[in-house]
C-alpha cells in the first residue's frame, strides 16, 4: 500500500520535473488574427497567449495580485504548434542547424 505524497513534496516535484520544460498549448491556427488571445492554465498558473500587431505570438503569466502587471513567459511556435515555458532559466527549443541537415536514405531489411 502506498502513501499519498504530502502537498509540499508534490509542489516540489511539479516545480522541478514538469514546469522546467516546454509545454504544448494549442495550434497556431487558434490565433489567426492580430488581437486574438486565449487563456489557458499550465500547472495551476493562468497564462494568456495572444497574437500582437506584428503577428508575433506572445504569452504572459497572469499574476493574482491586484494591480500586478502580466509577467512575460517564453513562447515559441514550432511546426504550427504553440509552446510555452514557465521556467525562468534558459531552456531553448531544439532547432536544427541548416548546415547540419542531411538526407538519410534507408531501405527496410525485408526489401
Amino acid at each position: 500500500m502506498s502513501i499519498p505524497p504530502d502537498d509540499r513534496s508534490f509542489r516540489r516535484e511539479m516545480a522541478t520535473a514538469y514546469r522546467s520544460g516546454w509545454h504544448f498549448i494549442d495550434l497556431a491556427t487558434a490565433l489567426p488574427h492580430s488581437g486574438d488571445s486565449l487563456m489557458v492554465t499550465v500547472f495551476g498558473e493562468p497564462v494568456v497567449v495572444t497574437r500582437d500587431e506584428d503577428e508575433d505570438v506572445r504569452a504572459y503569466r497572469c499574476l493574482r495580485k491586484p494591480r500586478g502587471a502580466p509577467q512575460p513567459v517564453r513562447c515559441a511556435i514550432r511546426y504550427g504548434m504553440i509552446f510555452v515555458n514557465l521556467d525562468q532559466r534558459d531552456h531553448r527549443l531544439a532547432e536544427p542547424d541548416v548546415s547540419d541537415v542531411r538526407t538519410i536514405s534507408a531501405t527496410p531489411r525485408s526489401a
Side-chain angles (χ1 to χ4, degrees):
M1 186 172 190
S2 63
I3 299 171
D6 63 347
D7 190 43
R8 186 175 32 188
S9 65
F10 175 73
R11 281 185 275 139
R12 183 175 54 243
E13 183 176 327
M14 290 293 283
T16 58
Y18 297 109
R19 291 180 53 138
S20 64
W22 288 92
H23 303 287
F24 171 74
I25 297 298
D26 205 340
L27 296 176
T29 57
L31 302 170
H33 308 289
S34 62
D36 289 347
S37 63
L38 53 99
M39 178 86 164
V40 295
T41 303
V42 181
F43 298 110
E45 296 278 342
V47 175
V48 174
V49 182
T50 184
R51 187 175 293 270
D52 62 10
E53 295 84 25
D54 298 332
E55 298 295 322
D56 292 332
V57 175
R58 301 197 186 277
Y60 300 94
R61 177 183 287 148
C62 299
L63 300 178
R64 296 184 179 149
K65 301 175 187 174
R67 292 195 244 162
Q71 181 183 19
V73 175
R74 286 181 301 180
C75 180
I77 296 179
R78 295 292 185 267
Y79 307 109
M81 297 179 284
I82 302 171
F83 293 91
V84 297
N85 190 334
L86 298 177
D87 195 3
Q88 299 299 319
R89 293 174 286 182
D90 190 24
H91 296 286
R92 298 175 191 253
L93 280 176
E95 288 189 39
D97 274 345
V98 176
S99 61
D100 193 34
V101 175
R102 293 178 284 215
T103 304
I104 300 173
S105 62
T107 56
R109 287 184 172 264
S110 61

